[in-house]
Amino acid sequence: MHALVVSGLRKVYEGSGRRVEAVRDLTFTVEAGELVCLVGPSGCGKTTLLKCMGGLLTPTGGEVRLAGEKVSGPPPGMAFVFQEYGRSLFPWMRVGENVELPLKQKGLSKARRRELVSDALESVGLADAAGAYPWQLSGGMQQRVAIARALAYEPQVLLMDEPFAAVDAQTRADLEDLVRGLWRERGITILFVTHDIDEAVYLGQRVIVLSASPTVVQEQLKVDLPDERDQLHTRVAPRFAELRTHVYEQIQSAKRGTPSLTKTDTPPPH
Amino acid sequence: MKGLNLALGAAGLAVFLALGEVVPRLGLVEEAYFPPTSRIADALADELSDGTFWTALGDTLTGWGLGLLIASTAGIVAGVVISVVPYLRDATASTIEFLRPIPSVALIPLAVLLYGTELRSVLLLVVYASFWQVLIQVLYGVQDLDPVAEETARSYGLGTWARIRHVLWPTALPYVMTGVRLAAAVALILAVTAELVIGAPGLGQRIAVAQNSQAVPEMYALVVVTGLLGLLINVGARTVERRALAWHQSVRGEVAV
Ligand SMILES: Nc1ncnc2c1ncn2[C@@H]1O[C@H](COP(=O)(O)OP(=O)(O)OP(=O)(O)O)[C@@H](O)[C@H]1O
Ligand SMILES: [Mg+2]
């Protein structure tokens, strides 16, 4: 059984006299334990798609299934990391409390909560920041707290919406390695939205390219790079360059609105 | 810098008190109606050693405190309910805009009709005046709710009650604090007014009695007491506010972006 199934998903925003068809018809699956990156032109409905998957928005048509169950509200096995990390953390709670709050909601015992919180904070390298307020931390640290909060929740599926769009390049590289490390360590299914082609190819086992609005799946691409990746060598590998060029071309043609001829394949090595 | 300000403030006050002493003594104003500072101070000392003064002070504080408590609780509960229940805000907006500007003192005849000179008369006026201060602030505060924070809470499975408690309430808290601080000042004004006009027991009534018996220095002494009371209430409210909102931007001294 697939971990995630999105079938015929459609979302139309209506209200205040404006009608926007953000997502037209999306169908794809994600396997358990997979790390899939979603790329697409700005405004093509990536956030909309993720919110429908996370049960935060009700789709206009089609459905999302998590482990066979239809998603109709935020499912307990799913965690969401928002692009706006600064606003997603609660400034009135210390870092530790931010991470702990969802666990209280789950009804876990105090001992178990403490264990999960310190374990999650340690995983992201913030073991000694538990007592700080989020606004006392740098942007990159805040995003790591948001990731720790998601990890502590022990989700089967982690949805990440352009989580590193607002941090500097160096921090971003560190956070990318952090996510890949956590993924390999914990075996979580991750769906990672980004507008950065390099990031998508570097991180993903598979890249799903979305078309411009009205959005459909433009192409799916398997990233046949070795599992051991590092910023220095992977990014200069010839295969990396081929893949990123291919995705780049797909996105360009997505912007022009030309449908792709190839679906679900890998570009042949040159 | 702070020391200098403090010194300037003290000097200003000293000059003011000295003028209050000298001007009546020079006969520039009628001494019978504007007694010199020293006589007011004497009267104040007499009041402080009089048991009935403390009873009056207690009555005023009871009316103020009880009224403020009722108004704050009602204002907070009403504000949250109005914001959380769909459509209720729009449905109540015009009614609130109509009721809010009615000056509380216009309700004095009603209070007298209903409760005479009882404490409840004072409470009616105090509660009516302070309720709106709290309610309006709560309504503004709730609007400040960040949709990302709200969605984060929903995505982690927090139900309506948990979201009110952990997200909505802390968001609105700075506004609630402002509302309660404003309400505390208004409540004191209304408590003294009600006692003065209706004759309910308290400092206001004591001022009226002093006036009727031509005890002018006593009257001033009591006015000074009400002023000090207002000052203490404001300082106290600000201290509580700073403690409770240590995390908040306005206290952190940062510019909100
Ligand atoms: N709440 C809303 N009401 C109406 N229209 C909306 C709403 N949210 C998004 N849209 C519209 O839906 C479309 C897709 O928006 P969405 O935020 O999903 O795009 P995106 O791919 O995440 O963009 P970006 O890469 O810039 O984050 C846009 O045209 C946007 O204007
Ligand atoms: Mg987006």
Side-chain angles (χ1 to χ4, degrees), chain A residues 135-249:
Chain A
W135 40 267
Q136 295 173 321
L137 306 180
S138 71
M141 286 161 95
Q142 290 180 18
Q143 189 57 288
R144 280 190 280 159
V145 174
I147 293 172
R149 178 170 60 185
L151 287 178
Y153 197 59
E154 299 189 295
Q156 289 115 52
V157 177
L158 183 57
L159 305 177
M160 307 183 87
D161 186 9
E162 300 198 30
F164 310 144
V167 295
D168 63 272
Q170 187 53 53
T171 310
R172 187 180 187 133
D174 292 345
L175 289 171
E176 286 167 3
D177 288 335
L178 175 73
V179 165
R180 261 196 81 84
L182 290 171
W183 167 69
R184 295 186 64 185
E185 200 176 287
R186 303 194 177 216
I188 319 169
T189 311
I190 299 182
L191 193 64
F192 190 103
V193 167
T194 173
H195 61 247
D196 183 326
I197 297 163
D198 286 44
E199 185 168 78
V201 174
Y202 179 74
L203 278 181
Q205 290 181 299
R206 189 149 59 95
V207 175
I208 299 179
V209 183
L210 300 181
S211 74
S213 199
T215 313
V216 296
V217 173
Q218 171 96 4
E219 199 207 23
Q220 304 202 28
L221 168 91
K222 192 165 158 28
V223 179
D224 48 6
L225 293 169
D227 254 3
E228 287 298 337
R229 298 182 193 176
D230 71 88
Q231 297 284 352
L232 218 53
H233 300 102
T234 308
R235 284 184 188 270
V236 294
R239 186 61 186 151
F240 183 86
E242 281 168 20
L243 288 167
R244 75 170 295 285
T245 307
H246 181 82
V247 174
Y248 182 80
E249 283 166 0

Side-chain angles (χ1 to χ4, degrees), chain B residues 10-21:
Chain B
L13 189 62
V15 170
F16 176 73
L17 292 177
L19 278 178
E21 180 71 30

Side-chain angles (χ1 to χ4, degrees), chain B residues 109-164:
Chain B
L110 176 69
V112 173
L113 275 181
L114 284 176
Y115 305 121
T117 59
E118 282 177 51
L119 174 64
R120 281 192 282 177
S121 260
V122 178
L123 285 182
L124 177 70
L125 301 181
V126 170
V127 169
Y128 190 86
S130 355
F131 172 75
W132 302 112
Q133 305 283 342
V134 179
L135 178 72
I136 298 298
Q137 290 292 328
V138 173
L139 290 179
Y140 275 117
V142 168
Q143 272 195 331
D144 217 24
L145 182 62
D146 191 326
V148 178
E150 172 75 4
E151 279 191 326
T152 304
R154 280 214 297 139
S155 78
Y156 283 112
L158 273 71
T160 307
W161 175 242
R163 291 207 303 278
I164 290 178

Side-chain angles (χ1 to χ4, degrees), chain A residues 4 24 29 39 42 44 48 75 123 133 144 168 195 203 263 267:
Chain A
L4 266 173
R24 173 162 290 177
T29 58
V39 281
S42 183
C44 76
T48 305
S123 301
Y133 283 102
R144 280 190 280 159
D168 63 272
H195 61 247
L203 278 181
K263 288 241 181 211

